[in-house]
Amino acid sequence: MHYSIYVENIFKTKFSNLIAKNKGVEYGQYLDINKYTVSNPKRKNKLLKTLSDIIAIHSGTSDYDDNPTKYYRKNHNHIPPWILFKNVTFNNAIDLYSFLKRDEKLEIISEYFLINNKNITDDERLELFKNMLIITRKFRNKIAHNYKVIGVNLEKVSLNTSILKKIDIFGCISNIDIKKKRGRNDIYSMLISILFLLNSSLLYTLFLKDLAFFNENNLTNPSESLKQLVELYINKLNLPNNFFEIFKNIYNLELKKINEKANNK
């Protein structure tokens, strides 16, 4: 689950940097409702609620008053967005991101080298990125609160795997997966989303290593009963039958690239 925290921190860093650049570093500038895009009255209420939650963190009136925002409030004359957003929830950060202008969203996505792929359109890129963030957040919350995730399919959010396959340099999505609707809104969709959102060759290689060798210690010479248990687990999670093999092969390829790059320096 710690990789989902990396995803959150990477996103909030890029988001807050854009906020500072385009909207200002003073609280009254970057939390000004007029600097965000609202399409209808219902969305305006959502924006007001999101800004209200963030303002409460800025002022110290929220339930969770923590550093570094707390420290900056006491020791500096203003709290810039790159500090404040360290304490803003992932949910509120994603919500505020949704009120950015289209070109601002694309500017953030352009920094995600696995998603900023010309094989898909801007609209497809925007939709895929937003849904990856939401899927990562929702499954992480379920896991953190010990809610059921085995066999669970999220509602109102999913990955378009046909579009994802166009930029899937790892080969995570096959035609069989598309046919079976695997990787759309299940736990596999979260693993894929994290992989694409880590946005660092080193981080996603470490993530792949953890996935690929998850079963190395206890499945080197597994008994038949253990094999059956693992197969049941994979089926329950709606993972591909060759799940471990897929990620192990990807890991080995990525590790080779890193080693080659290091040797060429």
Side-chain angles (χ1 to χ4, degrees):
M1 196 171 84
H2 58 286
Y3 287 102
S4 66
I5 297 174
Y6 290 143
V7 166
E8 175 182 354
N9 290 338
I10 290 166
F11 168 69
K12 290 198 296 189
T13 297
K14 294 182 183 303
F15 178 48
S16 60
N17 287 342
L18 179 133
I19 292 292
K21 179 172 72 76
N22 290 2
K23 305 183 189 303
V25 297
E26 297 282 349
Y27 148 80
Q29 297 173 324
Y30 65 84
L31 293 182
D32 180 356
I33 190 172
N34 296 310
K35 293 194 175 177
Y36 296 89
T37 303
V38 181
S39 56
N40 58 60
K42 188 175 180 181
R43 289 281 290 163
K44 184 174 182 178
N45 290 336
K46 178 71 172 176
L47 175 57
L48 286 169
K49 174 65 169 60
T50 301
L51 287 174
S52 176
D53 289 346
I54 297 173
I55 289 169
I57 294 170
H58 182 278
S59 64
T61 58
S62 70
D63 293 336
Y64 304 100
D65 189 22
D66 206 353
N67 291 322
T69 297
K70 184 177 180 179
Y71 175 84
Y72 262 71
R73 191 186 308 113
K74 290 181 178 179
N75 297 283
H76 296 268
N77 61 5
H78 75 287
I79 305 172
W82 59 86
I83 294 297
L84 180 63
F85 276 85
K86 290 182 183 295
N87 296 111
V88 170
T89 66
F90 196 11
N91 186 42
N92 278 333
I94 295 171
D95 284 344
L96 191 60
Y97 160 84
S98 72
F99 292 102
L100 292 178
K101 297 175 183 176
R102 175 185 170 89
D103 61 336
E104 290 177 323
K105 293 176 183 176
L106 288 170
E107 186 176 341
I108 291 175
I109 295 172
S110 70
E111 297 184 31
Y112 285 82
F113 63 96
L114 291 175
I115 302 173
N116 189 39
N117 189 308
K118 298 305 179 185
N119 288 336
I120 58 177
T121 66
D122 285 347
D123 285 342
E124 291 169 339
R125 204 173 294 119
L126 287 163
E127 186 72 12
L128 197 61
F129 181 71
K130 178 192 72 175
N131 289 340
M132 282 181 169
L133 289 172
I134 295 172
I135 285 170
T136 301
R137 178 188 65 79
K138 286 194 170 187
F139 269 114
R140 189 184 75 184
N141 287 351
K142 286 180 179 293
I143 294 169
H145 292 93
N146 292 319
Y147 294 152
K148 178 184 177 184
V149 294
I150 295 178
V152 167
N153 293 90
L154 298 176
E155 297 180 357
K156 299 180 180 180
V157 60
S158 65
L159 301 182
N160 186 323
T161 48
S162 295
I163 292 172
L164 177 60
K165 194 173 188 299
K166 295 178 183 179
I167 63 169
D168 179 19
I169 64 171
F170 304 109
C172 298
I173 294 294
S174 67
N175 290 329
I176 293 175
D177 294 326
I178 294 173
K179 186 176 181 180
K180 291 187 174 183
K181 298 183 178 180
R182 180 187 291 130
R184 289 173 56 85
N185 55 357
D186 50 18
I187 195 73
Y188 192 42
S189 71
M190 183 196 74
L191 297 175
I192 292 170
S193 295
I194 289 174
L195 180 62
F196 276 77
L197 293 172
L198 283 173
N199 205 50
S200 159
S201 295
L202 177 59
L203 278 179
Y204 72 64
T205 301
L206 291 173
F207 176 59
L208 286 164
K209 179 180 183 297
D210 284 353
L211 288 177
F213 296 99
F214 178 78
N215 65 336
E216 186 179 78
N217 292 331
N218 59 348
L219 291 181
T220 304
N221 295 296
S223 63
E224 283 303 316
S225 59
L226 190 54
K227 281 183 180 179
Q228 291 174 6
L229 183 63
V230 171
E231 287 175 5
L232 179 63
Y233 182 76
I234 286 175
N235 289 333
K236 286 288 186 181
L237 287 177
N238 196 32
L239 300 174
N241 292 334
N242 59 340
F243 170 77
F244 291 115
E245 183 181 343
I246 291 172
F247 282 90
K248 187 172 182 177
N249 289 339
I250 298 170
Y251 164 72
N252 288 332
L253 287 172
E254 294 305 317
L255 183 62
K256 183 179 178 182
K257 289 179 187 177
I258 290 176
N259 290 336
E260 287 175 348
K261 186 179 292 186
N263 293 331
N264 290 332
K265 286 185 178 180

